[in-house]
Amino acid sequence: MSRFLSTVAKRTEPYIPGEQLNQPDIIKLNTNENPYPPSPKVLEAIKAQVEENSLQLYPSPTADPLRHAIAETYGLTKEQVFVGNGSDEVLAFAFMAFFEPGKTIRFPEISYSFYPVYSKIFDISFEKVPLQEDFTLPAEAFYQSEGGVILPNPNAPTSLYATLDVIEEILKQNSDQMVIIDEAYIDFAGPSAVKLIDRYDNLLVIQTTSKSRALAGLRVGFAMGQPELIDGLTRIKDSFNSYPIDRLAMAGATAAFQDHAYFSESTKKIIRTRERSAQSLRELGFEVLPSDANFLFAKPLNQDAHTLYEQLKERGILVRHFDQAGISDYLRITIGTEEQMEMLFTVLNELIK
Ligand SMILES: *Cc1c(COP(=O)(O)O)cnc(C)c1O
């Protein structure tokens, strides 16, 4: 580590991204990307943007076309929508805008690995709340937090969805603190907390185009909340980078929100594959959590999960194993195409026999 690093830089930990193997025929079920391409209208919009030949000009600093398209999709106004370079960036801005150093925030012990990372860089103390034995959320444990709450719904990597009455109670019991709901997988689950925005000034809902809209490569995330919260995020953003959404990303993501039919069709297809895959895994003797996401969290019964992960990898199938207390017996398997899942089950059948 360089002796020139600041104390802030020194307290960060190197990020280890999901494996990206360089084999072309690898079946990649490890980072919860969408197995299908984005809507063809996305590609047309990006091509049209290229042909407009205006990359020498800065994009809109307020990202109006995209915020407008998101607002229309969710029945909001664009003043209730913030957009950023991936929801990871939006999350980082939200930590900075709404959590206070010295006031302890809470998030689930088993949850998105970025929360402790952001907490450390912004010097925010945190409490990891243990999940119940069945991995569901112990709602009461989030009541009356000192500094606020952040949780993914559905949770990752457990795939479990908490109903809106649970979320609403957490909001009510933290009326003077922010509650941030990270809805990266919500389109594969039940209703979004977006419908609570008008009633709770302490609610920020963060979503991404990386999963359900198949745009992980374009880097567009967004947050929804009351206009004062959006203004808070904008202040932070403008102090870093006024143009996080480039012209190509703006054109592509806007088109993605305008193509409702494609989105709903491909999301339904993934949910159907998920249900069939969960059933197949259970038949193979796995314990499978009831998923409301685009991945399954499953425990092989008579096998070591890490060994199975290695064996799958040797055969060109990448899944995710977490070497972490409480979940090291499980594998997280992204839902691929029907064909990819058939390949997975062919290999699993051989390995488990
Ligand atoms: C994938 C994911 C994100 C980040 O998504 P990007 O928009 O690609 O940065 C955030 N939160 C959770 C829980 C995720 O799984």
Side-chain angles (χ1 to χ4, degrees):
M1 209 185 318
S2 160
R3 66 194 168 95
F4 298 110
L5 286 193
S6 67
T7 38
V8 173
K10 276 183 193 146
R11 63 175 185 251
T12 62
E13 285 160 28
Y15 174 65
I16 304 157
E19 284 170 285
Q20 309 280 356
L21 290 194
N22 282 329
Q23 283 163 259
D25 52 355
I26 196 91
I27 297 184
K28 211 174 158 302
L29 306 177
N30 69 330
T31 49
N32 298 344
E33 289 142 322
N34 200 303
Y36 302 107
S39 154
K41 295 196 173 136
V42 168
L43 306 184
E44 280 167 31
I46 293 174
K47 281 182 199 149
Q49 181 61 48
V50 169
E51 273 149 28
E52 197 185 291
N53 201 11
S54 53
L55 286 180
Q56 69 276 30
L57 302 175
Y58 282 111
S60 158
T62 50
D64 283 340
L66 175 55
R67 286 167 65 216
H68 183 74
I70 296 171
E72 287 237 295
T73 305
Y74 293 95
L76 304 170
T77 64
K78 75 175 169 44
E79 288 70 33
Q80 294 171 302
V81 178
F82 176 85
V83 294
N85 189 240
S87 66
D88 287 336
E89 180 183 85
V90 179
L91 283 163
F93 289 170
F95 267 67
M96 214 182 314
F98 304 120
F99 293 153
E100 194 75 63
K103 291 199 176 160
T104 305
I105 64 162
R106 292 188 200 150
F107 48 78
E109 181 164 37
I110 295 164
S111 150
Y112 192 42
S113 60
F114 252 123
Y115 304 156
V117 172
Y118 296 136
S119 299
K120 280 177 200 160
I121 195 165
F122 301 128
D123 207 14
I124 293 155
S125 52
F126 57 88
E127 211 177 295
K128 290 183 175 178
V129 175
L131 296 177
Q132 322 224 53
E133 213 159 307
D134 62 358
F135 294 111
T136 54
L137 216 58
E140 297 80 20
F142 291 93
Y143 295 172
Q144 321 294 344
S145 75
E146 184 187 28
V149 169
I150 177 158
L151 52 89
N153 194 32
N155 197 4
T158 66
S159 75
L160 300 183
Y161 170 73
T163 53
L164 280 194
D165 46 314
V166 172
I167 301 296
E168 186 162 10
E169 202 51 38
I170 294 174
L171 283 160
K172 283 186 188 156
Q173 301 285 342
N174 285 281
S175 52
D176 293 323
Q177 278 75 34
M178 279 296 295
V179 175
I180 301 177
I181 309 293
D182 180 356
E183 292 190 334
Y185 302 102
I186 195 68
D187 296 321
F188 306 102
S192 160
V194 164
K195 41 161 84 164
L196 301 176
I197 281 174
D198 285 335
R199 279 189 285 137
Y200 294 92
D201 63 356
N202 59 333
L203 169 63
L204 188 75
V205 178
I206 298 185
Q207 294 190 9
T208 176
T209 63
S210 295
K211 276 75 185 228
S212 59
R213 292 184 199 264
L215 291 176
L218 207 61
R219 309 308 302 131
V220 176
F222 52 106
M224 296 168 285
Q226 293 192 4
E228 294 75 20
L229 298 179
I230 301 309
D231 289 345
L233 288 170
T234 305
R235 292 168 81 108
I236 301 286
K237 179 211 79 161
D238 285 339
S239 307
F240 274 87
N241 177 359
S242 316
Y243 310 100
I245 308 289
D246 63 68
R247 282 178 177 270
L248 303 183
M250 191 109 61
T254 303
F257 283 99
Q258 287 161 345
D259 194 349
H260 300 291
Y262 182 92
F263 164 72
S264 128
E265 197 43 54
S266 65
T267 305
K268 279 190 206 140
K269 198 150 69 176
I270 291 168
I271 292 173
R272 279 199 299 271
T273 309
R274 175 185 79 200
E275 295 308 307
R276 272 201 289 272
S277 303
Q279 186 53 31
S280 306
L281 280 175
R282 290 190 183 108
E283 283 161 14
L284 277 171
F286 283 74
E287 180 198 311
V288 186
L289 268 59
S291 170
D292 273 310
N294 68 339
F295 59 87
L296 294 169
F297 201 52
K299 176 175 160 179
L301 282 193
N302 304 308
Q303 239 145 339
D304 175 66
H306 188 257
T307 310
L308 190 55
Y309 153 82
E310 291 284 359
Q311 289 170 328
L312 285 170
K313 188 167 153 182
E314 273 164 29
R315 286 162 181 78
I317 300 178
L318 261 191
V319 299
R320 189 80 191 266
H321 174 260
F322 298 89
D323 209 357
Q324 185 189 331
I327 56 171
S328 59
D329 292 341
Y330 287 77
L331 293 178
R332 190 192 71 187
I333 305 169
T334 304
I335 303 302
T337 62
E338 280 293 317
E339 298 70 38
Q340 289 176 320
M341 298 314 273
E342 264 169 42
M343 294 281 286
L344 169 72
F345 285 108
T346 306
V347 172
L348 278 177
N349 263 310
E350 282 166 23
L351 292 173
I352 282 173
K353 220 166 22 195

